[in-house]
Each structure stands twice: as C-alpha cells, then as structure tokens.
Amino acid sequence: MNPPRVLFLGRTTLDVLYWLDSLPAEDTKAYARHLQAAPGGPALNAAITHSLLGGKSLLISAVGGGPWAAPIRSELERHNLDLLDLAAGTAYEAPLCTVLVNAANGSRTIVNPPISTGPLRHLGPAWTAEVPASWGDIPAVVLSDGFFIEETWALLASCENAGAALILDGGSWKPGTEQLVPLLTVAICGERFAVPGHAASPDAVFAWFADQGVPYVAITRGAQSILCWDRGRRFEIETAKVEAKDTLGAGDVLHGAFCFHFAQEPDFEGALRKAAAIATRSCQSLGVQAWAKQTAEQPTR
Ligand SMILES: Nc1ncnc2c1ncn2[C@@H]1O[C@H](COP(=O)(O)OP(=O)(O)O)[C@@H](O)[C@H]1O
Ligand SMILES: [Mg+2]
C-alpha cells in the first residue's frame, strides 16, 4: 500500500528546551536537568510525527536564513520531509524559541522572539509546480496550524476545491482563522481556543464551528478527556493516566497522528482515538520524537 500523503502548512521554529526541577523565580539562576535543541512549531512537529508513523509529508512553512535555519533544514532532510519555503528570497530568519519544562508535571512555558513582520511569498494554485515531482499532486489531507494564512490562502482554497479534507490545528485564534474555517472538514482545537466576541466554553466553540458548516470538531484539554463533536453527536475520548514528563508539542503529535490515520480512512472518531494514544505516549519522554524510538524498540509479541 502507498504511504499516506499529507501536506502540512504552518510554523517552523528551533526550540531550545530546558527540563527544570521547577520554574525559576525572577532574578535567580537555574541549572536544567536536561537540555535539548530541536526543530519545532505546530506544523513541523505534526509533519515529523506523520513521517515517523510512515507517512509522506510535505511542509509549507517559513524557514529562511539566520543562525537557526541550518539545524532545521538538516532535521527536515533526516526525516525525508520536503519543504516549500515561503521565506525563500526574503530576509526572514527562523525563530529560536525558549521552552521551560517543569519536570514536576511536564508543563511547558514558552518564550518566543518578536513576531517577524517582513513580507513572505504568497502561493497560488500553481504551487504544485514548485514541489519535487516525487511528491505528486494535491493530497487527500491538508493540515494548517493557522500561521501564514494570508500567504497560503489561495493554495488552501485550491486544495479544498480539488477535494482535499482540510484540517485545522486550532491552538489559538489567529488573524485569518475566520477565512479558513468555512473550508474545513475537521477542527482540532486546544482548550485555549476561543472565537473573539464569543464565549470560550466548549459548547460555544462547537456551535460556532457547526454554524460555519464544519462537520467534525474536537477540543483537547491536556490530561483531561478530549471533547468531540461529530455532526451533532457529542462524545468524549478519555486520556490515559500517565506520568507526564514533557507535554510540549503533545497537541502537534496528536494532529500529525490524526492526519496519518484519517488519510487512510476518513473515520473521525477512530483516527482521533489512535492519535490520542500516540499523543499520550509522547508525553512520557522528552521531546516530540522519542516515543517513536521507544515504540520501535518494544519487543513485538
Ligand atoms: N498530561 C498528559 N497526560 C496524558 N496525555 C496527555 C497529557 N497532556 C497531553 N496529553 C495528550 O495530548 C493531547 C493534546 O494535549 P494538549 O495539552 O491539549 O495540547 P497542546 O500541545 O496544544 O497543549 C491530549 O488530548 C492528550 O491526548
Ligand atoms: Mg498541553
């Protein structure tokens, strides 16, 4: 069987993760138990997860230049991930993000550099001419993390027009989210997602997406159950109780794994259950990739 193919659009960063006994107080010095520098950002983490599961991933993102672009590019190559760079030929520099993980509960606190305001390339329906021929045509599943909507809007519309299922990773409300929503088949949001001017409750979020014609919606809530909405049917997916070591990117892992399963069979609940189990496993080790190595090393019975 051919591997599932998924197009991932959105943000790429280099994350420097400090694993700390507790979050430092102001004006103190702390020593981390572990340090790890690895590419991150919702779309890239999801694409890496999809590749680790055996899928073929294409990333459309801004990587550009600057001191952090090279390690990002070599990681993309290591995962055999094709990149269409929105920052090619611009002054954009890949962002370096600082992540403080509290070893006590795995929580992550993130500091981003200032938001870059320089212009990026806009991609239209002819984008397929720019990707390696081996990639093929428009895939059945496309995920957007809500970054770079302005630059990728025409491309997203062309994918939807060609019959692709568009999936939103709704970490938070972003400029352009309202433009993207009418095109969506699935919205998987974090509990911080709220529509401006509307209540932040799950019911209000479900009702708003339903109004826009989105058939499938889920709200992930960390260690709590996932709230789900399938064309009017509400259900929950329980989250297994584990000792969380690092929850950075848990949502991204869930989105990448959901795409992998949904691209093979468009069964919302089934794909989400499998993805949730993988996301929980990813919280039990440091970084967003170690779960796959541990899975591979587990003896098969
Ligand atoms: N502490 C945890 N224990 C077990 N599973 C978790 C934990 N935190 C996250 N997960 C898994 O990862 C999914 C996404 O996590 P969440 O924290 O909602 O996303 P985000 O990465 O956006 O903060 C959850 O629905 C769950 O399946
Ligand atoms: Mg979380």
Side-chain angles (χ1 to χ4, degrees):
M1 203 181 83
N2 287 333
R5 289 190 312 130
V6 177
L7 168 59
F8 295 89
L9 288 104
R11 190 167 198 235
T12 293
T13 61
L14 186 69
D15 291 345
V16 181
L17 184 153
Y18 296 86
W19 207 55
L20 298 157
D21 288 326
S22 61
L23 285 191
E26 187 176 343
D27 206 21
T28 60
K29 286 183 186 175
Y31 284 86
R33 276 206 230 171
H34 295 288
L35 168 80
Q36 183 183 291
L44 174 53
N45 281 340
I48 287 175
T49 304
H50 182 252
S51 295
L52 287 170
L53 286 166
K56 198 164 156 45
S57 317
L58 172 66
L59 178 71
I60 297 188
S61 184
V63 175
W68 322 119
I72 291 173
R73 287 179 196 279
S74 66
E75 188 73 349
L76 295 181
E77 272 167 35
R78 198 168 72 79
H79 288 286
N80 242 330
L81 233 147
D82 290 321
L83 169 71
L84 207 173
D85 190 359
L86 296 170
T90 76
Y92 182 91
E93 295 195 349
L96 178 74
C97 302
T98 299
V99 183
L100 305 181
V101 177
N102 183 349
N105 59 8
S107 80
R108 84 289 189 276
T109 304
I110 302 171
V111 184
N112 286 294
I115 292 173
S116 163
T117 52
L120 295 168
R121 301 178 55 214
H122 286 57
L123 296 177
W127 66 277
T128 45
E130 292 196 45
V131 298
S134 60
W135 166 254
D137 207 354
I138 293 176
V141 170
V142 175
L143 178 126
S144 166
D145 67 12
F147 285 91
F148 310 125
I149 293 294
E150 201 191 318
E151 291 82 358
T152 59
W153 165 250
L155 179 159
L156 284 161
S158 75
C159 290
E160 196 256 355
N161 211 17
L166 264 52
I167 299 174
L168 172 69
D169 161 357
S172 60
W173 183 270
K174 297 180 184 69
T177 299
E178 72 282 9
Q179 242 184 312
L180 176 60
V181 168
L183 304 183
L184 296 177
T185 299
V186 180
I188 305 177
C189 302
E191 57 188 330
R192 293 173 211 88
F193 184 90
V195 182
H198 290 68
S201 71
D203 280 338
V205 170
F206 288 145
W208 184 79
F209 277 110
D211 257 10
Q212 311 274 323
V214 182
Y216 305 114
V217 186
I219 300 173
T220 68
R221 304 182 300 159
Q224 287 181 274
S225 63
I226 303 174
L227 306 178
C228 311
W229 194 90
D230 173 349
R231 293 160 294 179
R233 179 176 72 91
R234 295 260 320 235
F235 62 96
E236 289 185 34
I237 296 177
E238 292 304 323
T239 300
K241 298 226 173 330
V242 298
E243 205 169 305
K245 211 172 166 190
D246 167 25
T247 63
L248 175 72
D252 309 337
V253 171
L254 183 136
H255 300 124
F258 176 84
C259 290
F260 178 77
H261 292 291
F262 197 74
Q264 290 170 88
E265 198 193 336
D267 162 19
F268 174 62
E269 180 172 348
L272 200 52
R273 285 189 185 280
K274 289 177 190 154
I278 295 169
T280 292
R281 207 182 312 151
S282 80
C283 296
Q284 293 168 269
S285 47
L286 219 57
V288 296
Q289 298 183 27
W291 65 269
K293 191 160 177 284
Q294 281 157 8
T295 307
E297 279 167 4
Q298 266 167 19
T300 42
R301 280 173 230 260

